[in-house]
Amino acid sequence: MTKLEIKTISTKPFEGQKPGTSGLRKRVTEVKDNEYYLHNFVQSIFNVLPKEQLSGATLVVGGDGRYFNREAIQIIFQIAAANGVGHILVGQNGLLSTPAISAIVRARKALGAIILTASHNPGGPKGDFGIKYNMSNGGPAPESVTNAIYKQTTEIKEFAMATNVSVADLGELGKHQWDGFSVEVIDSVDDYLALLKTIFDFNQIRQLVANPKFRFNFDAMSGVTGVYGHRIFSQELGVPVQNLINCVPSEDFNNGHPDPNLTYAPELVKKMKAGEFDMGCASDGDGDRNMILGNKFFLNPSDSVAVIAANYKAIPYFKSGLKGLARSMPTSAAMELVAKDLNVPFFEVPTGWKFFGNLMDAGTLSICGEESFGTGSDHIREKDGIWAVLCWLQILAHHNANSASFVSIEDIVQQHWKHYGRNYYSRYDYEEIDTKPANEMMAHIKEQINTKSLIGKRFTTSANGSVLEIASADDFEYKDPIDKSVSSNQGLRIIFTDGSRIIYRLSGTGSTGATVRVYFDKYEKDHSQLSFDTQSHLSSLINIGLVEIAKLQHYTNRNEPNVIT
Ligand code: VG1
Ligand code: CO
C-alpha cells in the first residue's frame, strides 16, 4: 500500500480568520491569492482537536459546490492525512448539503465534518468562500471551539500535508486507499434520504403530490439541493421534473445570490404571485434554509416554524410528543405561544444554529427555527431546508387526506392565527454598509440603552393615534442552560409594553463591510386584526425603530433596505 509522504511546511498567520455566525466566510480572492490561507485555517482546526481523538478518526467533507471547493477539498485531504485522520467520507463531486453532512456525521459516528460553504452568500471567482467545522453530534462547533481555532490561526507557524494524496475523480463512487488513510466518495443523498424516510410518511406525501388540485414547485437556486430535489421530490415523491427549477448545482449559483427570500428568488416569487402553484419552495446554497410560499401567499419563516410545531401530530417523527420548542431571539414570538399552549419547555437563544445543539443533545428540544428562513428539529444538528419542505408537504397531506375542497397553506396559517393570534413581523437588511457608521449607529442605540433613557418613552403612532411605550431595552445575553457558557452582545432589544419588539444586529456572516439587520415584531390577538398588510400594519413601529431610535439614515446614508422580509 502506498505510504503517505508527509511534509511540514512553515507558514505565517493571516489576520481575520475568526469564524462568524456560521464558520469563516471570506472573498474567494482573499483565500486564493494568499498562499496557505486555507492551509492555515485547516491546520488550526486539527490543532484544537485532541490528538488521541484525531488518530484514525473518520471525518466527513463536502460542500455546496461553489467555486474553489474542489481545490479546497484536495487540500483538506492532504492536511487531514498528515494529521492522523484515518478515513474521509466525501460527497460525490464534493457535494453535500449542510443538513446531509449533519446526518452523515451522526449515522456514521464520525469525529466531525469540514463543510465548505458560504451558504446564502454569492459564489464564483468574485464571490465568497466559506469553511466551517462541525462536531461529532453533527452540529456547528460551539464558540469555545471556534475561539480556540481562531487563536491557533493567530499563532500558527507550520502545517503538515501528505503531498501524495489526491483523488482525481470525485465523480466516481468508491474508496481510495493509502497506508493508514483512505478517502471514500459516497452518494450525496443516500444517508440523508434514509433518515428522512424514518421521519415522514412518504406514502401519504406521494398521494398529495398525485392530487391534481395540488401543484408544487421547487427552486434550488443553483445550489446543492438540486441533487436532493431530483432524488427526493421527483424520484421518490413523484413531482414532475419540470417543476424543479435551478436544480443543477453551479459554481457561481448561475450568477445568482442563493438566498431564498422575496428579493433573491424572483423567478419563484413571480410564479407564486401569479397563482401558478399551490406550494413553492426554495433553499439556499448549502440547503439548510427554506422559503415556502403558498398560492399568492407569503409564509413568514417565524410563522412557518410555529405552525409546524402546532401541527406536530401530522409528522410521524413527533408521534410521541414534543420535548421542547425554541427560536432565535430576533425570530417572532409566535413560537412561544405554541409552546405555552402545548405545555412544553420553551427556549430563546442567540442567532445562529450552534446554540440549539446543546438543548437537543440534552433531550429538551424538538423543533426550532430562526426568522432567517432556518427551520429544523433534533433529527440532526443543523437547520434543514428539505426537511421543512417535507414538513409542510406532510401537514398539507394530513389536512387534505379526507377533505373535499383543497386545504391550502394560507388556510392552515389563517386557522393558526385565529387560534394563537398573529405576530406581524418584518426584517430590514441594509447590506454593504461601511463598518464605521454601522458601529456608530449601534453605539448610538447602545448608549440609549445604557443610560436607560428609552424606558418609559412613549410614541404616538400615525395609524390610529394609539401610544407605544417602551418597557425595557437591553443587549441580549444568553446563558446556555446546559453548559452554562455565556454569550454576550447578541443583539440590541427594545421591548414595548404591548409586547412589540424592535431588534438591531450586525450580521456575522458577511465577508466585507457590515450588514445592519433591524427586526420588527407586533402581536395582535383580536380576530378583526389578523388580515392587514404586514408593512402597513408595522409602519409606526418601523418608523420608531429606524428614525426615532436608530437615526439609521443619518448614520448610514441609506433610505431603503436591500432586502425586506
Ligand atoms: C444569518 C442569519 C442567521 C443564520 C446565519 C447562518 O446570520 O441571520 O439566523 O443562522 O445567517 O445561516 P447573520 O449573522 O448574518 O445575521 V446560513 O444558511 O448562512 O448558514
Ligand atoms: Co445556509
Side-chain angles (χ1 to χ4, degrees):
M1 205 167 299
T2 323
K3 276 214 160 337
L4 295 172
E5 290 167 17
I6 296 174
K7 256 193 178 166
T8 303
I9 297 167
S10 341
T11 184
K12 279 204 289 282
F14 292 99
E15 256 178 50
Q17 293 197 324
K18 189 171 171 58
T21 311
S22 185
L24 182 71
R25 295 188 189 177
K26 293 287 171 190
R27 284 274 191 263
V28 170
T29 43
E30 187 170 354
V31 180
K32 264 188 92 169
D33 297 352
N34 289 304
E35 198 186 16
Y36 303 150
Y37 191 96
L38 180 65
H39 302 69
N40 278 14
F41 191 77
V42 174
Q43 181 66 54
S44 297
I45 295 174
F46 292 127
N47 287 351
V48 306
L49 298 174
K51 287 279 161 298
E52 65 284 2
Q53 284 182 22
L54 206 51
S55 164
T58 297
L59 269 193
V60 183
V61 175
D64 59 12
R66 68 179 57 225
Y67 180 76
F68 197 59
N69 273 11
R70 277 179 301 158
E71 291 90 322
I73 286 170
Q74 303 291 343
I75 294 169
I76 292 167
F77 289 165
Q78 296 188 331
I79 299 181
N83 279 274
V85 170
H87 188 48
I88 284 187
L89 297 162
V90 61
Q92 189 172 23
N93 296 311
L95 297 174
L96 284 174
S97 76
T98 295
I101 291 182
S102 189
I104 295 166
V105 168
R106 295 169 69 79
R108 311 253 188 150
K109 304 209 169 3
L111 175 68
I114 295 181
I115 308 183
L116 296 169
T117 176
S119 188
H120 56 285
N121 298 7
K126 292 191 179 126
D128 281 359
F129 174 81
I131 178 167
K132 169 169 121 162
Y133 186 71
N134 276 30
M135 313 290 283
S136 59
N137 70 349
E143 279 181 343
S144 55
V145 175
T146 55
N147 288 340
I149 294 172
Y150 173 58
K151 186 157 182 281
Q152 286 294 326
T153 69
T154 64
E155 297 166 354
I156 191 163
K157 290 197 179 70
E158 58 182 34
F159 63 88
M161 64 196 296
T163 49
N164 61 332
V165 166
S166 80
V167 178
D169 186 4
L170 286 176
E172 199 181 317
L173 301 182
K175 202 162 174 179
H176 304 260
Q177 187 82 46
W178 291 261
D179 189 12
F181 178 72
S182 60
V183 171
E184 187 180 348
V185 183
I186 59 169
D187 182 86
S188 307
V189 190
D190 281 351
D191 285 41
Y192 178 64
L193 176 60
L195 174 65
L196 292 176
K197 283 187 171 170
T198 67
I199 297 172
F200 298 103
D201 177 348
F202 272 49
N203 278 329
Q204 194 190 38
I205 297 176
R206 251 178 240 127
Q207 283 166 28
L208 172 78
V209 171
N211 181 344
K213 286 186 199 145
F214 179 67
R215 298 156 305 165
F216 172 88
N217 203 6
F218 173 71
D219 184 346
M221 303 191 81
S222 303
V224 72
T225 54
V227 178
Y228 298 81
H230 276 289
R231 176 86 176 274
I232 298 169
F233 297 133
S234 182
Q235 289 175 32
E236 289 286 334
L237 297 170
V239 171
V241 184
Q242 66 269 24
N243 290 9
L244 304 179
I245 57 174
N246 301 316
C247 275
V248 179
S250 136
E251 287 201 330
D252 67 350
F253 307 102
N254 220 347
N255 203 16
H257 194 150
D259 195 353
N261 61 37
L262 294 173
T263 303
Y264 296 130
E267 203 179 335
L268 180 74
V269 170
K270 196 168 152 219
K271 286 182 188 173
M272 298 310 294
K273 276 193 176 149
E276 286 177 36
F277 293 95
D278 303 289
M279 176 167 170
C281 30
S283 56
D284 68 337
D286 64 325
D288 55 356
R289 296 185 180 207
N290 73 93
M291 175 170 71
I292 291 169
L293 304 169
N295 191 339
K296 299 183 185 156
F297 180 76
F298 173 63
L299 174 62
N300 190 292
S302 299
D303 281 332
S304 174
V305 70
V307 175
I308 291 172
N311 284 272
Y312 75 91
K313 284 186 180 146
I315 299 161
Y317 180 79
F318 300 116
K319 66 174 180 293
S320 52
L322 299 178
K323 298 165 188 154
L325 299 173
R327 61 163 173 81
S328 68
M329 184 274 280
T331 304
S332 100
M335 192 65 151
E336 57 247 55
L337 299 171
V338 178
K340 217 183 214 169
D341 194 45
L342 298 176
N343 199 17
V344 295
F346 168 79
F347 306 91
E348 180 180 40
V349 309
T351 294
W353 209 260
K354 54 182 177 275
F355 295 102
F356 293 121
N358 274 352
L359 298 167
M360 290 177 175
D361 288 346
T364 57
L365 175 58
S366 294
I367 301 176
C368 54
E370 296 192 277
E371 46 62 43
S372 54
F373 298 90
T375 327
S377 91
D378 65 347
H379 66 292
I380 52 172
R381 296 293 179 273
E382 288 277 4
K383 55 190 187 269
D384 189 343
I386 301 260
W387 173 89
V389 172
L390 289 169
C391 282
W392 271 96
L393 284 169
Q394 192 87 72
I395 290 167
L396 282 168
H398 172 82
H399 283 276
N400 283 291
N402 299 306
S403 167
S405 62
F406 187 73
V407 182
S408 69
I409 290 178
E410 182 170 2
D411 294 336
I412 293 168
V413 176
Q414 292 284 359
Q415 241 353 86
H416 184 91
W417 289 338
K418 277 200 186 119
H419 184 76
Y420 292 99
R422 174 174 179 186
N423 284 83
Y424 285 89
Y425 185 83
S426 189
R427 177 176 115 181
Y428 280 34
D429 293 332
Y430 299 84
E431 295 170 351
E432 293 189 29
I433 307 241
D434 287 338
T435 312
K436 193 165 168 272
N439 286 335
E440 283 167 2
M441 188 192 87
M442 293 299 279
H444 169 66
I445 304 166
K446 186 92 193 260
E447 167 76 15
Q448 297 171 72
I449 291 175
N450 289 345
T451 57
K452 305 221 178 320
S453 65
L454 288 172
I455 296 169
K457 214 170 179 173
R458 294 157 70 92
F459 304 88
T460 309
T461 66
S462 51
N464 54 6
S466 64
V467 171
L468 277 167
E469 182 180 334
I470 297 178
S472 64
D474 65 2
D475 189 343
F476 184 60
E477 184 174 274
Y478 178 68
K479 184 168 180 195
D480 188 300
I482 311 301
D483 68 17
K484 313 288 178 211
S485 62
V486 174
S487 302
S488 311
N489 305 319
Q490 298 296 323
L492 305 178
R493 284 197 297 190
I494 317 286
I495 302 175
F496 293 79
T497 50
D498 72 343
S500 296
R501 297 184 308 155
I502 301 173
I503 288 135
Y504 305 88
R505 275 184 71 248
L506 294 182
S507 159
T509 56
S511 56
T512 44
T515 292
V516 174
R517 305 199 197 285
V518 193
Y519 313 73
F520 307 94
D521 180 3
K522 186 174 199 308
Y523 178 64
E524 299 289 358
K525 176 90 183 117
D526 197 295
H527 283 193
S528 67
Q529 306 290 305
L530 301 179
S531 306
F532 300 125
D533 169 68
T534 301
Q535 291 305 316
S536 44
H537 196 63
L538 288 175
S539 61
S540 294
L541 196 64
I542 290 171
N543 187 57
I544 294 168
L546 300 182
V547 181
E548 311 251 7
I549 298 176
K551 292 198 169 61
L552 184 131
Q553 199 195 7
H554 163 81
Y555 283 103
T556 66
N557 220 351
R558 291 283 290 277
N559 293 318
E560 300 293 333
N562 302 69
V563 179
I564 294 183
T565 299

